[in-house]
Amino acid sequence: MNTLPIIINDPWLRPVADKITKRYNHYLSVREDIIREHGSLLNYADSHQYFGFHYDNIRKGHFFRDWLPRAEQVFLVGDFNGWEPCRNPLEKLDNGVWEIFLPDDDWKDKLTHKSRVKLYIKGNNGWTEHIPAYIQFTIQNEQDKSFSGVFWNPPTLFDWQNDNYRIPSNESLLIYECHIGMAQEKQGVGTYPEFIENVLPYIKDLGYNALQVMALAEHPYYGSFGYQVSNFFAPSSRFGSPEELKLLIKTAHQNNIAIIMDIVHSHFVSNSNEGLNMLDGEDGLYSPWGEKGNHPHWKSKLFDYSKPEVRRFLLSNVRYWMEEFHIDGFRFDGVTSMIYKHHGYVDDFGTYENYFGEDVDIDALTYLTLANELVHEINPQSGTIAEEVSGMPGMALPIADGGIGFDYRMAMAIPDYWIKILKTQKDEDWNLSEMWNIMTERLWNVKTVTYCESHDQALVGDKTIAFRLMDKAMYSQMEKGSQSMVVDRGIALHKMIRLFTITLGGQAYLNFMGNEFGHPEWIDFPRQDNEWSYQHARRQWSLLKNENLRYSFLYEFDKFMLQLVKDFHLLSSGFAYQLLVDDKNKTIVYESGELVFVFNWHVKNSISDYVIPVRKAGKYGIILNTDHADFGGFSRIKDNAEFFTFQDKNSNSFMKIYNINRAALVFQRKD
């Protein structure tokens, strides 16, 4: 076999070429088995078309099937048969499959749309009730808060006509991360229709072109943020019906906004009644047997990616969301946990042993490679993002090159860095060279989603960047007429941090909802410790709408910044070119997309006739000033000011500017 491009292009990997080749060959071997038996990967990922409820036009009725290899007896129960436990038995077929046929003309036990259903199973642990693995909707019972499966069979199909949206190949992703339930201001759970009416217009107005939706798959515990999934084929009923979710997606597409699903294939909820755990009466069905099947830190169950049935279940889940709901891409959560047997809980990465040793789960890497291949086979213009913190080589490289096939990886070090220096360092101690390196330290051929903060940075025990900068002053000093050095600093740095990150950190950008206008406080879902309060599980849009407050300044800046990024194709223009690092005056200058960026992070030094180098001679004008009054600043520079270059004896070009502190200026060459 020829040497893989991943090894040719990265000399650091040559000592482990045999291990990378072994990883790639394992994927090829599994793929060849799939193609030989099923004809194509797409055919293989079709178990959702066989399991669960499916109508037979010839026999006129519904088949129901599930994979329960060690079950002794299985019955389908529900309100359609009065919940009688042993009235509708399933028959055991080959390969651990159980089946029942329910004819339309059975007046006694007839399924109807929204019938509640469960499986009544006798296994090694006795008689237990479970929700079917491939159920497409569930609902929570008001009395005991348990979940039941729902036979979802609406009388008319959702009208996807004219929904032909595809992510434009010439657009960089500007991602608005959201959670439907906490998107509303009310102290309660938001719905899909409310999101369409109240939140989607903001996203469109700001200029984001992708919506990354969290917590779509059903999960019993709301406070898990959707990361303890029970029913992988069922959209969460908390937010509305599957048809209402489809309407949200179609409406987003009509506004040229892609939908990226935050998909959780790294683990599943340990609840046995609602989820996959102990589904056939024993441990080790979808997970490894015993302790190996338990996540040691998340109190959840792990998938066994070596099992063909598990691999097919997950791949079918990917296909289902893309075809049934027109999902445009996926952000795979918890990839680090998936690909290492230690689940990422080690002191350090970056060594051959960590990346290619015994603790690497080659079956998980193979599954992810197949998933990426499938996603792009279904829709070549889709996008996949890996939430992966270790920096596993090849994660966001093409499969043919020996990579895992993701389009992007999350730049998880960047938000962690911002939080670290805001928490532990004074402004005057910030290291400009370190800031530059953190923003730009990535491989040239690996696309990255950069961000200042996501939902992670504001979870219980932490704060949004705005709240970390301004803290309690946000409660009393955000009025436009008030004077507060704390708020002035916070608003200035909030804008600078975002502009610095989006123009240096990657090829795509992400923001969590509300943070664009400086949402205060933190995120905390209702739980016993907070007396089941929704106070911090919502977004306070009234702060933005209040004309007397300064939040609108940050919103307008975010909108202007995104338009600048789009107009000058900054995310696709390659690495920025560093022009100057002045530690004394805390000023850093760089060029990106033929624009010149000047960041003065100094707490007080504003310098007249400050000399900066530029690569092209000519006349320059300011096209963005973070200090502009429209963005909550002081407009210390005239909008129409012009700046002319001059040359030294070596024909190097320079320009004199007014270098104002705690502000960023963006210059464009005019001739």
Side-chain angles (χ1 to χ4, degrees), residues 561-582:
M561 178 183 75
L562 295 188
Q563 191 61 52
L564 178 81
V565 166
K566 288 190 282 190
D567 287 346
F568 292 93
H569 308 287
L570 296 179
L571 288 170
S572 59
S573 62
F575 283 79
Y577 186 87
Q578 188 185 107
L579 296 169
L580 174 69
V581 175
D582 178 358

Side-chain angles (χ1 to χ4, degrees), residues 131 152 229 255 282 288 365 375 455 503 529 554 574:
I131 294 176
W152 193 257
V229 176
N255 287 279
E282 291 189 46
L365 287 168
V375 168
H455 69 278
T503 55
D529 290 347
L554 296 178

Side-chain angles (χ1 to χ4, degrees), residues 59-220:
R59 296 184 61 180
K60 303 299 180 185
H62 282 87
F63 277 102
F64 171 81
R65 304 179 187 93
D66 215 325
W67 179 57
L68 307 160
R70 296 165 300 185
E72 298 174 19
Q73 295 183 66
V74 182
F75 296 87
L76 185 67
V77 300
D79 52 16
F80 73 99
N81 68 1
W83 295 100
E84 291 192 21
C86 299
R87 195 153 105 189
N88 294 96
L90 277 69
E91 176 187 2
K92 189 172 186 180
L93 309 179
D94 295 333
N95 301 320
V97 176
W98 291 76
E99 175 186 275
I100 187 174
F101 179 72
L102 297 164
D104 288 345
D105 58 7
D106 187 341
W107 61 271
K108 191 175 182 182
D109 297 336
K110 186 175 182 178
L111 283 169
T112 58
H113 176 48
K114 297 185 180 181
S115 291
R116 298 194 183 195
V117 295
K118 283 188 178 183
L119 292 175
Y120 191 47
I121 300 172
K122 183 183 180 183
N124 193 44
N125 61 344
W127 288 99
T128 52
E129 287 187 346
H130 297 272
I131 294 176
Y134 288 82
I135 200 73
Q136 295 183 0
F137 195 54
T138 69
I139 196 163
Q140 192 170 25
N141 303 314
E142 289 294 330
Q143 292 76 20
D144 60 5
K145 301 303 180 183
S146 66
F147 282 80
S148 296
V150 175
F151 173 65
W152 193 257
N153 187 36
T156 57
L157 295 176
F158 181 81
D159 181 12
W160 283 112
Q161 187 175 0
N162 299 322
D163 186 63
N164 301 310
Y165 177 83
R166 290 290 185 268
I167 299 174
S169 58
N170 62 341
E171 284 191 17
S172 300
L173 287 180
L174 298 167
I175 305 168
Y176 197 85
E177 184 187 36
C178 73
H179 182 285
I180 302 297
M182 63 172 289
Q184 306 303 314
E185 180 140 8
K186 68 180 183 183
Q187 295 198 38
V189 180
T191 65
Y192 302 122
E194 288 173 328
F195 192 94
I196 293 171
E197 181 179 355
N198 301 326
V199 183
L200 203 57
Y202 284 121
I203 301 168
K204 174 69 174 177
D205 180 59
L206 284 163
Y208 288 92
N209 59 15
L211 185 63
Q212 182 173 295
V213 189
M214 306 174 62
L216 275 187
E218 190 61 90
H219 46 288

Side-chain angles (χ1 to χ4, degrees), residues 506-650:
Q507 293 80 12
Y509 177 74
L510 177 140
N511 167 71
F512 183 69
M513 61 178 182
N515 289 346
E516 71 277 1
F517 66 83
H519 203 283
E521 301 178 328
W522 55 89
I523 296 171
D524 187 9
F525 281 85
R527 53 196 171 90
Q528 188 171 0
D529 290 347
N530 66 16
E531 298 180 347
W532 305 104
S533 170
Y534 286 87
Q535 173 64 29
H536 297 289
R538 61 192 181 114
R539 298 285 90 179
Q540 299 181 58
W541 301 102
S542 59
L543 298 174
L544 171 61
K545 297 174 185 177
N546 190 329
E547 296 180 356
N548 296 319
L549 300 178
R550 304 193 205 190
Y551 294 96
S552 60
F553 291 142
L554 296 178
Y555 178 93
E556 291 301 325
F557 173 77
D558 199 76
K559 181 178 177 179
F560 193 97
M561 178 183 75
L562 295 188
Q563 191 61 52
L564 178 81
V565 166
K566 288 190 282 190
D567 287 346
F568 292 93
H569 308 287
L570 296 179
L571 288 170
S572 59
S573 62
F575 283 79
Y577 186 87
Q578 188 185 107
L579 296 169
L580 174 69
V581 175
D582 178 358
D583 285 316
K584 179 182 177 182
N585 293 299
K586 292 297 178 188
T587 296
I588 187 165
V589 183
Y590 58 89
E591 182 181 288
S592 178
E594 298 189 353
L595 301 180
V596 176
F597 293 78
V598 180
F599 282 78
N600 182 344
W601 302 92
H602 204 283
V603 298
K604 61 181 181 179
N605 283 5
S606 294
I607 307 167
S608 299
D609 294 330
Y610 186 82
V611 178
I612 64 169
V614 293
R615 293 207 289 175
K616 291 184 179 180
K619 180 176 69 175
Y620 285 78
I622 297 173
I623 59 171
L624 173 58
N625 172 15
T626 65
D627 186 55
H628 199 283
D630 289 347
F631 307 138
F634 300 96
S635 290
R636 287 174 284 174
I637 293 181
K638 294 180 180 179
D639 294 343
N640 59 355
E642 294 181 337
F643 304 84
F644 296 87
T645 62
F646 62 92
Q647 293 183 327
D648 64 7
K649 61 183 179 180
N650 297 318

